[in-house]
C-alpha cells in the first residue's frame, strides 16, 4: 500500500509551501475535472488549515453548510500524516457521524477514488459500541428472548471454535446488529465493570481486535469526541498500569462539530453509581467457601447501599430527566457508612484472593468496581466543584457526579501541547464572536476564521415559524406530515420525542422511525433510501448529511434550550446574565445546526418548520438572525 506524500518535495520549497501548491492544484483543477464543485470558501479553509499546521496552533474553522469542510480538512490531514509518519485523528460528535463519514458515498471514498490514492482509514469507536463476549454469555444463559442466541450464532467461527488466531478479523460493532434496539444492546455490550485485562476471552474479543487494528493506522483514525476525551483522561493512568493508551500518538486532531467537545469532556469525567450494579456484582462472588467475615461485610454493604438509594430517591426532585438532590444529614451519613464498609471489604478481599475460592476474574471485577464506588461516593459527599443528580438510565436509578467546569483540565491536558488542532463546524460562534466556545474549553492561543455558506438560500430554503401551545404541537406536526414529504423531526430531548410518539395514532407510526428503536445509523440509511418517510431524533441536530429529495423538510419540534437540570443550573449560577450567557447561545447554536440538515448541496431545496410556544414568541427576532433567509410566520 502506497504511503508516500501525495506530492513531490524539493529542496527549494518547504513541506508547507508544497502542500499549498498541491491543494491548489487538487481543489482548482483535479477535483473540478472529476465533477466536484469549485468552492472559494473550501479552498480558503484548506489554506487556513495549512497555516495552523505550520504554526502548530488551534484553529477555529467556522464554515457554513455547503463549504465542503470535510474535503477541506481531509487533504491537509492526509498529507501531514504521511509527512510526520503519524496518523491524523478525526474526532466526530458521535458514533452515527463516524458512520456518515466513512459510508460508501462519503467524502473519504470520493477523495480516494478521484485522486487514485488509497487512504488507510480506521475506526476507533467508544468501548460501549462493541460486543462483550462475557456479557453475551450471561445474557444467553438468563434471557428468555431470542436475540442473544441469534447474536451468538452470527459470530465469526474463530470466536467459539478452534480456528487459528491468525484468521481473526474485526467484528462485534454496534452497527453490525442494526436490528437490536438500544435496550437489547445494553445487555450484551461492553460495560465499565468488565475486566478486559483479566478476561480469558481477550484474544478473541472484537473490541481488542479492533483496538489492535486501528493502532496500526498510517493515514486516518476516526473516533467520537467521547472516546477521544476518555483517551485524554485515562492516558497517564493506563501508562502507569502498564497498559497502552486507548489511542496511539497522532500528528494532528480535527474536531468535526467541535462545538460539542465540552460536553464530551464532561461526560468522560463523569462518575456513575447505579443501585443494582453493586448488588449484582457482590452476588456473583457469594460462593461456597467464602469467609464469614467477608460475607457479613457484604450483607452490611447490601443493606447500607439500598438504604442510601432509598434516601436518594426520597430527597430527589422529579422535575425533568435529571433530578436535583437535597443532601440531608441522614443521606450523607448513609453514604459515609457505605464507604467505610467498602474499604473494610477491600481489605478482606486480600485474604479471599489468597484462598482462591472466588474466581479470579470476578474478584478483580468487584475490587475494581468498589474502588471506583468509593471514589465516586466520596466526590458526592465532599464539598467540591462537582455537580450531581439522579436520573433513570434504562429504568435504573443512577447517581451521576460530573465536574461543573472542565476548562482548567482541558487547558492543562489537551491545549497545552503544540499539536495542531482544527475545530470544524458551521456553528462555532454567535455573530462571529467565539467567546462562548473559547471560555468553555479554556483555549487562549488560537487562529480563527468564519466564512458563509456558498448556497443561494433565497432560492432553495423556506423558514416557517409557527406560534402554538404545547398541547397543539403533535396535531400540527401530523397535519404537516400528511403530504408525504421526506421529513426529519428534531426534538430537544428524548422525553419530548416520546410524548409526541404517545400522541400519534397507529396509522402514523407505520411510516415514522424513532431514535432508539434500532441502531441509529441503520435507521438513517433506511431514511436516506426512502424506506422510511419520517425520522424522529433528539441527537441528529449535527452532522446528518442527506442530500437530494431524501430530505426536503425539517421540523424543529422544540426550541433546543438546554434543560433545567443541575448541570446547566450550576452554569447559570456562575453567570451574570444566565439567559444571555448560557441558555440563549446554546439554543441559537443548536438551532442553526438543526436547520443546516436541510440544504446539503446546491441542488437541495425544502422547508424548515420552527415550532414556537406562545411564551417564546418574543425571541423571534433573535431566532431570525441565525437563519440565512427571512422567517415567515405561518398562519394556523
Amino acid at each position: 500500500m502506497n504511503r508516500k506524500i501525495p506530492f513531490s518535495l524539493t529542496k527549494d520549497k518547504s513541506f508547507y509551501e508544497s502542500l499549498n501548491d498541491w491543494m491548489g492544484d487538487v481543489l482548482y483543477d483535479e477535483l473540478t475535472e472529476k465533477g466536484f464543485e469549485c468552492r472559494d470558501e473550501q479552498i480558503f479553509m484548506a489554506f487556513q488549515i495549512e497555516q495552523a499546521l505550520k504554526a502548530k496552533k488551534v484553529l477555529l474553522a467556522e464554515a457554513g453548510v455547503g463549504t465542503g469542510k470535510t474535503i477541506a480538512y481531509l487533504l491537509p490531514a492526509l498529507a501531514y500524516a504521511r509527512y510526520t509518519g503519524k496518523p491524523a485523528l478525526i474526532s466526530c460528535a458521535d458514533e452515527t457521524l463516524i458512520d456518515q463519514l466513512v459510508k460508501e458515498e462519503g467524502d473519504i471514498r470520493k477523495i480516494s477514488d478521484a485522486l487514485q490514492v488509497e487512504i488507510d482509514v480506521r475506526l476507533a469507536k467508544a468501548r460501549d459500541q462493541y460486543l462483550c463476549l462475557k456479557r453475551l454469555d450471561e445474557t444467553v444463559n438468563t434471557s428468555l428472548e431470542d436475540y442473544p442466541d441469534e447474536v451468538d450464532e452470527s459470530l465469526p467461527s474463530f470466536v467459539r471454535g478452534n480456528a487459528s488466531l491468525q484468521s481473526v478479523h474485526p467484528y462485534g460493532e454496534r452497527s453490525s446488529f442494526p436490528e437490536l434496539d438500544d435496550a437489547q444492546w445494553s445487555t450484551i455490550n461492553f460495560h465499565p465493570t468488565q475486566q478486559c485485562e483479566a478476561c480469558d476471552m481477550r484474544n478473541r474479543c472484537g473490541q481488542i481486535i479492533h483496538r489492535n487494528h486501528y493502532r496500526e493506522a498510517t493515514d486516518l483514525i476516526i473516533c467520537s469526541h467521547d472516546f477521544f476525551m476518555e483517551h485524554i483522561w485515562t492516558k497517564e493512568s493506563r501508562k502507569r498500569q502498564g497498559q497502552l493508551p486507548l489511542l496511539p500518538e497522532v500528528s494532528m486532531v480535527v474536531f468535526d462539530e467541535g462545538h460539542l467537545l465540552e460536553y464530551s469532556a464532561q461526560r468522560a469525567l463523569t462518575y456513575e453509581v447505579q443501585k443494582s450494579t453493586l448488588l449484582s456484582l457482590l452476588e456473583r462472588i457469594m460462593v461456597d467457601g467464602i469467609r464469614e467475615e467477608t460475607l457479613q461485610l457484604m450483607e452490611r454493604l447490601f443493606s447500607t447501599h439500598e438504604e442510601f438509594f432509598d434516601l436518594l430517591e426520597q430527597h430527589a426532585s422529579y422535575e425533568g430527566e435529571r433530578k436535583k438532590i437535597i443532601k440531608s444529614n441522614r443521606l450523607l451519613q448513609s453514604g459515609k457508612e457505605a464507604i467505610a464498609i467498602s474499604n473494610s471489604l477491600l481489605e478482606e478481599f486480600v485474604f479471599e484472593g489468597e484462598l482462591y475460592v472466588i474466581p479470579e476474574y470476578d474478584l478483580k471485577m468487584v475490587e475494581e468496581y468498589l474502588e471506583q464506588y468509593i471514589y465516586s461516593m466520596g466526590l458526592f459527599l465532599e464539598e467540591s466543584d462537582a455537580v450531581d443528580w439522579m436520573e433513570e438510565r434504562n429504568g435504573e436509578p443512577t447517581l451521576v457526579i460530573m465536574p461543573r467546569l472542565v476548562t482548567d483540565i482541558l487547558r492543562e491536558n489537551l491545549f497545552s501541547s503544540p499539536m495542531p488542532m482544527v475545530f470544524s463546524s458551521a456553528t462555532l460562534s454567535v455573530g462571529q464572536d467565539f467567546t462562548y466556545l473559547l471560555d468553555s474549553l479554556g483555549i487562549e492561543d488560537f487562529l480563527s476564521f468564519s466564512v458563509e455558506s456558498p448556497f443561494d438560500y433565497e432560492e432553495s430554503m423556506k423558514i416557517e415559524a409557527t406560534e402554538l401551545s404545547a398541547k397543539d404541537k403533535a396535531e400540527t406536526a401530523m397535519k404537516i406530515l400528511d403530504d408525504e414529504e421526506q421529513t426529519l423531526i428534531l426534538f430537544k430531548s428524548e422525553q419530548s420525542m416520546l410524548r409526541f410518539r404517545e400522541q400519534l395514532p397507529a396509522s402514523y407510526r407505520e411510516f415514522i422511525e424513532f431514535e432508539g428503536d434500532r441502531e441509529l445509523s441503520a435507521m438513517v440509511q433506511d431514511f436516506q433510501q426512502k424506506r422510511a418517510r419520517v425520522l424522529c431524533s433528539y441527537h441528529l441536530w449535527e452532522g446528518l448529511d442527506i442530500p437530494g429529495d431524501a430530505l426536503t423538510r425539517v421540523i424543529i419540534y422544540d426550541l433546543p434550550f438546554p434543560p433545567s437540570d443541575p448541570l446547566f443550573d450550576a452554569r447559570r449560577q456562575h453567570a451574570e446574565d444566565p439567559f444571555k450567557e448560557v441558555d440563549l447561545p446554546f439554543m441559537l447554536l443548536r438551532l442553526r445546526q438543526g436547520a443546516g440538515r436541510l440544504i446539503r448541496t446546491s441542488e437541495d431545496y425544502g422547508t424548515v418548520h420552527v415550532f414556537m410556544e406562545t411564551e417564546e414568541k418574543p425571541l423571534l427576532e433573535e431566532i431570525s438572525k441565525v437563519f440565512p433567509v427571512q422567517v415567515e410566520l405561518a398562519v394556523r
Side-chain angles (χ1 to χ4, degrees), residues 413-458:
N413 289 274
L414 184 57
F415 299 119
S416 62
S417 71
M419 180 187 298
M421 300 183 195
V422 178
F423 284 76
S424 170
S425 176
T427 55
L428 294 175
S429 72
V430 179
Q432 297 190 11
D433 180 355
F434 295 94
T435 303
Y436 183 75
L437 180 70
L438 294 170
D439 289 349
S440 63
L441 294 176
I443 299 173
E444 296 172 346
D445 189 16
F446 65 97
L447 305 172
S448 68
F449 72 86
S450 183
V451 293
E452 297 295 329
S453 169
F455 294 150
D456 183 358
Y457 284 108
E458 293 291 344

Side-chain angles (χ1 to χ4, degrees), residues 193-369:
T193 58
Q194 302 306 118
Q195 291 299 309
C196 298
E197 297 302 314
C199 181
D200 57 353
M201 305 192 76
R202 179 179 173 81
N203 289 337
R204 299 175 189 268
C205 169
Q207 180 190 166
I208 301 300
I209 294 169
H210 273 278
R211 296 279 170 265
N212 294 335
H213 177 67
Y214 71 65
R215 283 194 176 101
E216 297 174 355
T218 55
D219 290 335
L220 303 175
I221 297 175
I222 305 178
C223 71
S224 66
H225 292 347
D226 283 359
F227 188 61
F228 178 77
M229 293 316 307
E230 184 181 359
H231 159 71
I232 294 296
W233 297 155
T234 62
K235 184 177 180 180
E236 295 306 319
S237 64
R238 289 180 69 88
K239 285 181 178 178
R240 287 194 297 270
Q241 295 169 16
Q243 301 178 37
L244 289 171
L246 293 175
L247 290 165
E249 287 191 29
V250 296
S251 56
M252 65 175 292
V253 181
V254 177
F255 296 110
D256 201 333
E257 305 298 353
H259 62 288
L260 297 175
L261 186 67
E262 177 196 4
Y263 308 105
S264 294
Q266 286 175 315
R267 285 193 292 270
L269 282 174
T270 295
Y271 295 89
E272 299 177 10
V273 180
Q274 292 189 316
K275 184 173 183 179
S276 67
T277 303
L278 177 67
L279 306 181
S280 62
L281 286 175
L282 291 177
E283 285 176 347
R284 290 177 72 121
I285 61 172
M286 283 186 165
V287 297
D288 291 339
I290 194 170
R291 297 163 60 247
E292 184 66 27
E293 297 91 328
T294 305
L295 192 60
Q296 288 178 357
L297 281 172
M298 289 168 67
E299 289 173 347
R300 281 182 59 200
L301 186 53
F302 264 128
S303 176
T304 304
H305 178 76
E306 287 200 311
E307 178 195 52
F308 176 77
F309 264 87
D310 288 344
L311 291 169
L312 264 184
E313 296 191 74
Q314 292 173 27
H315 292 81
S317 62
Y318 281 74
E319 296 180 6
E321 296 177 9
R322 295 171 177 167
K323 306 163 190 176
K324 299 179 182 178
I325 301 168
I326 300 171
K327 297 182 181 180
S328 68
N329 289 334
R330 188 178 170 198
L331 175 65
L332 295 176
Q333 187 56 44
S334 178
K336 290 175 183 177
E337 186 177 350
I339 289 176
I341 298 171
S342 297
N343 278 314
S344 299
L345 195 52
L346 281 175
E347 294 175 6
E348 293 301 322
F349 284 158
V350 175
F351 299 105
E352 295 295 344
E354 295 173 351
L355 296 175
Y356 298 102
V357 172
I358 303 172
E360 182 181 3
Y361 178 86
D362 290 346
L363 181 58
K364 185 174 179 58
M365 184 160 60
V366 175
E367 287 176 328
E368 187 84 12
Y369 181 79

Side-chain angles (χ1 to χ4, degrees), residues 494-507:
E494 182 181 16
Q495 281 185 332
S496 176
M497 184 186 75
L498 295 178
R499 283 195 296 269
F500 170 68
R501 182 176 188 163
E502 290 170 358
Q503 296 175 68
L504 288 179
S507 58

Side-chain angles (χ1 to χ4, degrees), residues 95 98 122-136 151 170-177 185-191 194 196 205-214 222-224 227 246-247:
E95 310 297 337
I98 293 176
R122 308 194 185 194
L123 306 186
K125 295 192 174 184
R127 291 191 281 181
D128 64 3
Q129 293 295 304
Y130 295 103
L131 182 72
C132 173
L133 296 176
K134 286 280 190 182
R135 296 191 75 214
L136 176 61
V151 170
Y171 74 96
E173 294 174 89
R174 170 68 175 105
S175 56
S176 300
F177 306 99
W185 175 252
S186 69
T187 66
I188 60 174
N189 67 338
F190 171 83
H191 188 276
Q194 302 306 118
C196 298
C205 169
Q207 180 190 166
I208 301 300
I209 294 169
H210 273 278
R211 296 279 170 265
N212 294 335
H213 177 67
Y214 71 65
I222 305 178
C223 71
S224 66
F227 188 61
L246 293 175
L247 290 165

Side-chain angles (χ1 to χ4, degrees), residues 468-476 478 503 557 613 636:
L468 71 177
S469 65
K471 65 181 179 62
D472 292 331
K473 283 184 176 181
E475 182 181 350
T476 304
M478 284 187 280
Q503 296 175 68
Y557 196 84
E613 297 183 20
R636 294 187 59 247

Side-chain angles (χ1 to χ4, degrees), residues 615-630:
E615 62 271 20
E616 296 169 338
K617 189 178 179 182
L619 297 173
L620 183 59
E621 184 177 350
E622 290 284 353
I623 289 169
S624 299
K625 293 176 183 177
V626 306
F627 293 120
V629 298
Q630 187 172 353

Side-chain angles (χ1 to χ4, degrees), residues 398-418:
T398 305
L399 170 64
V400 183
I401 306 105
M402 176 183 282
R404 183 182 69 82
L405 293 174
V406 293
T407 306
D408 293 339
I409 307 172
L410 280 170
R411 186 184 294 116
E412 180 180 346
N413 289 274
L414 184 57
F415 299 119
S416 62
S417 71

